[in-house]
Amino acid sequence: MSVTQIQEEILKLKQEKDVVILAHYYQPIEIQEIADHLGGSLGLSRLANKVDTDYIIFAGVDFMAETASILNQNKKVLIPNPESCCPMAAYLTVDKVKEFKANNPNLPVVVYVNSTAAVKAESDICCTSANAVNVVKRISSEFNAKAVLFGPDANLADYVEQKSGIKCIKMPEKGNCYVHSQLTIDDMEKIRIAYPKCELLVHPECIREVRELADFVGSTGQMYNRVKNNTTSENDFCIGTEIGLMERMAQDFPNKNFHLISEKLICYNMKKNTIELMRYVLDNLDDPMFEVKVPPEIAKKALKPIEKMLEYS
Ligand code: 13P
Ligand code: SF4
């Protein structure tokens, strides 16, 4: 069966069943094409907060589906491939957070959404890459603190510290995303030479030296809007984030040209969801294998920092 045929079947099944499909920009393009809603982490969290169907299929990685489960404890949240996990979350354990809290008793704990639900439950507020600077500014002033505990992404912590002027103590020292942290100064210099007039956009999960060579640093949603709202005659963009976002923009903005800064920009974890699995899940909505259910006692504690983040952004 061709991809188009599978997509047609999915669209038909979706209409018959009480289900909404949310997909992140890093998903395979054939999944993006059949989603009800597409977005970055922040946009999808906002959407997950407003769902009115009984089933949510979350085409993304585990922490995204977990956030949807925390916000929708009375609904079924499913992920096409339960092995689609963000390895960054493993950098920060509950014990580590407790240790940092014990050593810094008066500092607010800011946890990046790319973390486990149990770690979120230990935090004062969550953030995404789109709102991290604002979140840190607001929570530090609320706590009257000159520093925050921030984890697990050390590159995002560094970026937020630069932008906000508020010290972000990294929990742990070297948490990172294997996709974005692979981008090098060499990659940036080579792409600048190859496309001298191009605007270079990178994600804040990139290392500082790479961010400093970019023209724009932002989350996936912010990059999308930056390209969408560009009104100059300059129509070429070099993209420093996962390839899926570039594929989305290439479809949505056919008059603009896109170049991936490096071929390494593929998140294999995001790509574990396939259109075939999506089709299968739609026929097996009550199969517990695909369900992502955060236990109620953790969900109750994790809900507060997530809701606070949504309120602050
Ligand atoms: P955004 O929050 O920018 O959508 O990114 C999520 C992510 O996993 C980045 O690697
Ligand atoms: Fe996690 Fe990086 Fe993949 Fe984003 S791109 S889901 S941070 S591994």
Side-chain angles (χ1 to χ4, degrees), residues 183 188 199-203 214-218 222-224 226-227 236-241 249 261:
L183 262 193
M188 296 296 277
E199 175 158 311
L200 266 63
L201 299 91
V202 305
H203 199 276
D215 301 308
F216 180 81
V217 180
Q222 288 166 338
M223 283 191 221
Y224 184 94
R226 171 92 180 173
V227 170
D236 280 51
F237 301 90
C238 295
I239 304 301
T241 192
M249 294 195 292
I261 295 179

PDB file of all heavy atoms in Angstrom, residues 183 188 199-203 214-218 222-224 226-227 236-241 249 261:
ATOM      1  N   LEU A 183      25.842  20.279  16.036  1.00  0.00           N
ATOM      2  CA  LEU A 183      26.171  21.371  15.098  1.00  0.00           C
ATOM      3  C   LEU A 183      27.459  22.056  15.546  1.00  0.00           C
ATOM      4  O   LEU A 183      27.625  22.360  16.729  1.00  0.00           O
ATOM      5  CB  LEU A 183      25.055  22.410  15.075  1.00  0.00           C
ATOM      6  CG  LEU A 183      24.014  22.370  13.973  1.00  0.00           C
ATOM      7  CD1 LEU A 183      23.220  23.662  13.962  1.00  0.00           C
ATOM      8  CD2 LEU A 183      24.608  22.112  12.602  1.00  0.00           C
ATOM      9  N   MET A 188      28.624  25.935  10.599  1.00  0.00           N
ATOM     10  CA  MET A 188      28.072  27.287  10.435  1.00  0.00           C
ATOM     11  C   MET A 188      28.908  28.073   9.419  1.00  0.00           C
ATOM     12  O   MET A 188      28.360  28.768   8.552  1.00  0.00           O
ATOM     13  CB  MET A 188      28.056  28.031  11.778  1.00  0.00           C
ATOM     14  CG  MET A 188      27.159  27.406  12.820  1.00  0.00           C
ATOM     15  SD  MET A 188      25.409  27.423  12.387  1.00  0.00           S
ATOM     16  CE  MET A 188      24.938  29.076  12.885  1.00  0.00           C
ATOM     17  N   GLU A 199      19.669  33.720   5.588  1.00  0.00           N
ATOM     18  CA  GLU A 199      19.529  33.930   7.035  1.00  0.00           C
ATOM     19  C   GLU A 199      19.747  32.584   7.732  1.00  0.00           C
ATOM     20  O   GLU A 199      19.167  31.568   7.342  1.00  0.00           O
ATOM     21  CB  GLU A 199      18.132  34.474   7.352  1.00  0.00           C
ATOM     22  CG  GLU A 199      17.903  34.597   8.836  1.00  0.00           C
ATOM     23  CD  GLU A 199      16.796  35.584   9.199  1.00  0.00           C
ATOM     24  OE1 GLU A 199      16.823  36.706   8.680  1.00  0.00           O
ATOM     25  OE2 GLU A 199      15.926  35.220   9.982  1.00  0.00           O
ATOM     26  N   LEU A 200      20.584  32.586   8.781  1.00  0.00           N
ATOM     27  CA  LEU A 200      20.877  31.344   9.518  1.00  0.00           C
ATOM     28  C   LEU A 200      20.051  31.301  10.790  1.00  0.00           C
ATOM     29  O   LEU A 200      20.196  32.168  11.650  1.00  0.00           O
ATOM     30  CB  LEU A 200      22.368  31.290   9.893  1.00  0.00           C
ATOM     31  CG  LEU A 200      23.311  30.546   8.935  1.00  0.00           C
ATOM     32  CD1 LEU A 200      23.362  31.201   7.575  1.00  0.00           C
ATOM     33  CD2 LEU A 200      24.710  30.464   9.520  1.00  0.00           C
ATOM     34  N   LEU A 201      19.202  30.279  10.902  1.00  0.00           N
ATOM     35  CA  LEU A 201      18.347  30.148  12.088  1.00  0.00           C
ATOM     36  C   LEU A 201      18.742  28.888  12.851  1.00  0.00           C
ATOM     37  O   LEU A 201      18.850  27.813  12.235  1.00  0.00           O
ATOM     38  CB  LEU A 201      16.875  30.039  11.686  1.00  0.00           C
ATOM     39  CG  LEU A 201      16.253  31.202  10.913  1.00  0.00           C
ATOM     40  CD1 LEU A 201      16.397  30.996   9.415  1.00  0.00           C
ATOM     41  CD2 LEU A 201      14.786  31.340  11.238  1.00  0.00           C
ATOM     42  N   VAL A 202      18.951  29.008  14.152  1.00  0.00           N
ATOM     43  CA  VAL A 202      19.288  27.809  14.940  1.00  0.00           C
ATOM     44  C   VAL A 202      18.436  27.743  16.209  1.00  0.00           C
ATOM     45  O   VAL A 202      17.868  28.737  16.654  1.00  0.00           O
ATOM     46  CB  VAL A 202      20.796  27.727  15.330  1.00  0.00           C
ATOM     47  CG1 VAL A 202      21.700  27.826  14.119  1.00  0.00           C
ATOM     48  CG2 VAL A 202      21.166  28.759  16.386  1.00  0.00           C
ATOM     49  N   HIS A 203      18.399  26.544  16.773  1.00  0.00           N
ATOM     50  CA  HIS A 203      17.619  26.289  17.996  1.00  0.00           C
ATOM     51  C   HIS A 203      18.486  26.605  19.219  1.00  0.00           C
ATOM     52  O   HIS A 203      19.706  26.403  19.189  1.00  0.00           O
ATOM     53  CB  HIS A 203      17.206  24.804  18.000  1.00  0.00           C
ATOM     54  CG  HIS A 203      16.072  24.500  18.907  1.00  0.00           C
ATOM     55  ND1 HIS A 203      16.254  24.255  20.249  1.00  0.00           N
ATOM     56  CD2 HIS A 203      14.734  24.411  18.687  1.00  0.00           C
ATOM     57  CE1 HIS A 203      15.065  24.021  20.796  1.00  0.00           C
ATOM     58  NE2 HIS A 203      14.128  24.108  19.883  1.00  0.00           N
ATOM     59  N   ALA A 214      24.761  32.548  14.429  1.00  0.00           N
ATOM     60  CA  ALA A 214      23.454  32.542  13.756  1.00  0.00           C
ATOM     61  C   ALA A 214      22.877  33.955  13.662  1.00  0.00           C
ATOM     62  O   ALA A 214      23.280  34.854  14.383  1.00  0.00           O
ATOM     63  CB  ALA A 214      22.490  31.648  14.541  1.00  0.00           C
ATOM     64  N   ASP A 215      21.906  34.119  12.750  1.00  0.00           N
ATOM     65  CA  ASP A 215      21.206  35.412  12.658  1.00  0.00           C
ATOM     66  C   ASP A 215      19.973  35.420  13.548  1.00  0.00           C
ATOM     67  O   ASP A 215      19.465  36.482  13.897  1.00  0.00           O
ATOM     68  CB  ASP A 215      20.758  35.651  11.204  1.00  0.00           C
ATOM     69  CG  ASP A 215      21.939  35.660  10.259  1.00  0.00           C
ATOM     70  OD1 ASP A 215      22.894  36.396  10.531  1.00  0.00           O
ATOM     71  OD2 ASP A 215      21.918  34.891   9.273  1.00  0.00           O
ATOM     72  N   PHE A 216      19.480  34.231  13.843  1.00  0.00           N
ATOM     73  CA  PHE A 216      18.259  34.136  14.655  1.00  0.00           C
ATOM     74  C   PHE A 216      18.322  32.867  15.482  1.00  0.00           C
ATOM     75  O   PHE A 216      18.689  31.805  14.980  1.00  0.00           O
ATOM     76  CB  PHE A 216      17.028  34.096  13.740  1.00  0.00           C
ATOM     77  CG  PHE A 216      15.716  34.005  14.472  1.00  0.00           C
ATOM     78  CD1 PHE A 216      15.122  35.137  15.017  1.00  0.00           C
ATOM     79  CD2 PHE A 216      15.072  32.778  14.635  1.00  0.00           C
ATOM     80  CE1 PHE A 216      13.918  35.059  15.704  1.00  0.00           C
ATOM     81  CE2 PHE A 216      13.867  32.689  15.325  1.00  0.00           C
ATOM     82  CZ  PHE A 216      13.282  33.834  15.855  1.00  0.00           C
ATOM     83  N   VAL A 217      17.967  32.984  16.775  1.00  0.00           N
ATOM     84  CA  VAL A 217      17.911  31.809  17.657  1.00  0.00           C
ATOM     85  C   VAL A 217      16.482  31.704  18.166  1.00  0.00           C
ATOM     86  O   VAL A 217      15.924  32.679  18.689  1.00  0.00           O
ATOM     87  CB  VAL A 217      18.875  31.968  18.855  1.00  0.00           C
ATOM     88  CG1 VAL A 217      18.810  30.737  19.768  1.00  0.00           C
ATOM     89  CG2 VAL A 217      20.310  32.189  18.380  1.00  0.00           C
ATOM     90  N   GLY A 218      15.878  30.537  18.003  1.00  0.00           N
ATOM     91  CA  GLY A 218      14.497  30.411  18.485  1.00  0.00           C
ATOM     92  C   GLY A 218      14.009  28.978  18.468  1.00  0.00           C
ATOM     93  O   GLY A 218      14.661  28.077  17.910  1.00  0.00           O
ATOM     94  N   GLN A 222       8.977  29.534  16.795  1.00  0.00           N
ATOM     95  CA  GLN A 222       9.508  30.884  16.529  1.00  0.00           C
ATOM     96  C   GLN A 222      10.224  30.933  15.177  1.00  0.00           C
ATOM     97  O   GLN A 222      10.124  31.923  14.457  1.00  0.00           O
ATOM     98  CB  GLN A 222      10.439  31.300  17.674  1.00  0.00           C
ATOM     99  CG  GLN A 222       9.676  31.612  18.948  1.00  0.00           C
ATOM    100  CD  GLN A 222      10.554  31.707  20.187  1.00  0.00           C
ATOM    101  OE1 GLN A 222      11.660  31.176  20.224  1.00  0.00           O
ATOM    102  NE2 GLN A 222      10.057  32.356  21.218  1.00  0.00           N
ATOM    103  N   MET A 223      10.931  29.865  14.827  1.00  0.00           N
ATOM    104  CA  MET A 223      11.597  29.836  13.507  1.00  0.00           C
ATOM    105  C   MET A 223      10.551  29.849  12.403  1.00  0.00           C
ATOM    106  O   MET A 223      10.679  30.554  11.396  1.00  0.00           O
ATOM    107  CB  MET A 223      12.442  28.563  13.358  1.00  0.00           C
ATOM    108  CG  MET A 223      13.750  28.604  14.096  1.00  0.00           C
ATOM    109  SD  MET A 223      14.773  27.205  13.582  1.00  0.00           S
ATOM    110  CE  MET A 223      15.437  26.747  15.146  1.00  0.00           C
ATOM    111  N   TYR A 224       9.495  29.054  12.611  1.00  0.00           N
ATOM    112  CA  TYR A 224       8.424  28.981  11.610  1.00  0.00           C
ATOM    113  C   TYR A 224       7.833  30.378  11.380  1.00  0.00           C
ATOM    114  O   TYR A 224       7.671  30.829  10.246  1.00  0.00           O
ATOM    115  CB  TYR A 224       7.344  27.996  12.079  1.00  0.00           C
ATOM    116  CG  TYR A 224       6.247  27.764  11.078  1.00  0.00           C
ATOM    117  CD1 TYR A 224       6.298  26.692  10.186  1.00  0.00           C
ATOM    118  CD2 TYR A 224       5.150  28.625  10.987  1.00  0.00           C
ATOM    119  CE1 TYR A 224       5.298  26.481   9.253  1.00  0.00           C
ATOM    120  CE2 TYR A 224       4.147  28.433  10.052  1.00  0.00           C
ATOM    121  CZ  TYR A 224       4.232  27.354   9.196  1.00  0.00           C
ATOM    122  OH  TYR A 224       3.242  27.162   8.253  1.00  0.00           O
ATOM    123  N   ARG A 226       9.145  33.262  12.085  1.00  0.00           N
ATOM    124  CA  ARG A 226      10.166  34.157  11.537  1.00  0.00           C
ATOM    125  C   ARG A 226      10.179  34.051   9.998  1.00  0.00           C
ATOM    126  O   ARG A 226      10.214  35.056   9.291  1.00  0.00           O
ATOM    127  CB  ARG A 226      11.528  33.752  12.114  1.00  0.00           C
ATOM    128  CG  ARG A 226      12.712  34.421  11.510  1.00  0.00           C
ATOM    129  CD  ARG A 226      13.076  35.658  12.262  1.00  0.00           C
ATOM    130  NE  ARG A 226      14.228  36.300  11.667  1.00  0.00           N
ATOM    131  CZ  ARG A 226      14.678  37.469  12.054  1.00  0.00           C
ATOM    132  NH1 ARG A 226      14.084  38.119  13.027  1.00  0.00           N
ATOM    133  NH2 ARG A 226      15.720  38.018  11.473  1.00  0.00           N
ATOM    134  N   VAL A 227      10.150  32.820   9.512  1.00  0.00           N
ATOM    135  CA  VAL A 227      10.176  32.605   8.055  1.00  0.00           C
ATOM    136  C   VAL A 227       8.851  33.083   7.444  1.00  0.00           C
ATOM    137  O   VAL A 227       8.831  33.801   6.442  1.00  0.00           O
ATOM    138  CB  VAL A 227      10.428  31.111   7.741  1.00  0.00           C
ATOM    139  CG1 VAL A 227      10.213  30.811   6.264  1.00  0.00           C
ATOM    140  CG2 VAL A 227      11.845  30.715   8.170  1.00  0.00           C
ATOM    141  N   ASP A 236      15.991  33.112   1.230  1.00  0.00           N
ATOM    142  CA  ASP A 236      16.775  31.895   1.481  1.00  0.00           C
ATOM    143  C   ASP A 236      17.049  31.751   2.972  1.00  0.00           C
ATOM    144  O   ASP A 236      17.480  32.705   3.620  1.00  0.00           O
ATOM    145  CB  ASP A 236      18.116  31.971   0.747  1.00  0.00           C
ATOM    146  CG  ASP A 236      17.949  31.623  -0.710  1.00  0.00           C
ATOM    147  OD1 ASP A 236      17.057  32.212  -1.339  1.00  0.00           O
ATOM    148  OD2 ASP A 236      18.688  30.752  -1.197  1.00  0.00           O
ATOM    149  N   PHE A 237      16.810  30.557   3.481  1.00  0.00           N
ATOM    150  CA  PHE A 237      16.974  30.317   4.919  1.00  0.00           C
ATOM    151  C   PHE A 237      17.779  29.040   5.143  1.00  0.00           C
ATOM    152  O   PHE A 237      17.501  28.009   4.516  1.00  0.00           O
ATOM    153  CB  PHE A 237      15.601  30.178   5.588  1.00  0.00           C
ATOM    154  CG  PHE A 237      14.744  31.404   5.417  1.00  0.00           C
ATOM    155  CD1 PHE A 237      13.885  31.522   4.326  1.00  0.00           C
ATOM    156  CD2 PHE A 237      14.823  32.453   6.321  1.00  0.00           C
ATOM    157  CE1 PHE A 237      13.118  32.653   4.144  1.00  0.00           C
ATOM    158  CE2 PHE A 237      14.058  33.597   6.143  1.00  0.00           C
ATOM    159  CZ  PHE A 237      13.199  33.703   5.061  1.00  0.00           C
ATOM    160  N   CYS A 238      18.758  29.139   6.048  1.00  0.00           N
ATOM    161  CA  CYS A 238      19.528  27.956   6.437  1.00  0.00           C
ATOM    162  C   CYS A 238      19.034  27.530   7.815  1.00  0.00           C
ATOM    163  O   CYS A 238      18.997  28.355   8.739  1.00  0.00           O
ATOM    164  CB  CYS A 238      21.021  28.267   6.506  1.00  0.00           C
ATOM    165  SG  CYS A 238      21.693  28.674   4.890  1.00  0.00           S
ATOM    166  N   ILE A 239      18.640  26.280   7.924  1.00  0.00           N
ATOM    167  CA  ILE A 239      17.920  25.839   9.117  1.00  0.00           C
ATOM    168  C   ILE A 239      18.802  24.975  10.020  1.00  0.00           C
ATOM    169  O   ILE A 239      19.324  23.942   9.604  1.00  0.00           O
ATOM    170  CB  ILE A 239      16.641  25.055   8.691  1.00  0.00           C
ATOM    171  CG1 ILE A 239      15.764  25.924   7.771  1.00  0.00           C
ATOM    172  CG2 ILE A 239      15.864  24.565   9.900  1.00  0.00           C
ATOM    173  CD1 ILE A 239      15.287  27.231   8.366  1.00  0.00           C
ATOM    174  N   GLY A 240      18.895  25.415  11.274  1.00  0.00           N
ATOM    175  CA  GLY A 240      19.713  24.695  12.259  1.00  0.00           C
ATOM    176  C   GLY A 240      18.864  24.025  13.312  1.00  0.00           C
ATOM    177  O   GLY A 240      19.022  24.266  14.516  1.00  0.00           O
ATOM    178  N   THR A 241      17.934  23.221  12.841  1.00  0.00           N
ATOM    179  CA  THR A 241      17.178  22.361  13.749  1.00  0.00           C
ATOM    180  C   THR A 241      16.787  21.107  12.981  1.00  0.00           C
ATOM    181  O   THR A 241      17.150  20.957  11.801  1.00  0.00           O
ATOM    182  CB  THR A 241      15.946  23.089  14.340  1.00  0.00           C
ATOM    183  OG1 THR A 241      15.435  22.294  15.421  1.00  0.00           O
ATOM    184  CG2 THR A 241      14.846  23.307  13.331  1.00  0.00           C
ATOM    185  N   MET A 249       8.266  23.691   6.347  1.00  0.00           N
ATOM    186  CA  MET A 249       8.311  25.053   5.801  1.00  0.00           C
ATOM    187  C   MET A 249       8.439  25.016   4.272  1.00  0.00           C
ATOM    188  O   MET A 249       7.867  25.856   3.579  1.00  0.00           O
ATOM    189  CB  MET A 249       9.453  25.836   6.444  1.00  0.00           C
ATOM    190  CG  MET A 249       9.212  26.058   7.935  1.00  0.00           C
ATOM    191  SD  MET A 249      10.269  27.309   8.700  1.00  0.00           S
ATOM    192  CE  MET A 249      11.858  26.539   8.628  1.00  0.00           C
ATOM    193  N   ILE A 261      21.472  23.107   7.693  1.00  0.00           N
ATOM    194  CA  ILE A 261      22.862  23.485   7.993  1.00  0.00           C
ATOM    195  C   ILE A 261      23.762  22.250   8.039  1.00  0.00           C
ATOM    196  O   ILE A 261      24.923  22.307   7.657  1.00  0.00           O
ATOM    197  CB  ILE A 261      22.941  24.323   9.288  1.00  0.00           C
ATOM    198  CG1 ILE A 261      22.203  25.652   9.067  1.00  0.00           C
ATOM    199  CG2 ILE A 261      24.395  24.573   9.706  1.00  0.00           C
ATOM    200  CD1 ILE A 261      22.169  26.590  10.253  1.00  0.00           C
TER     201      ILE A 261
END
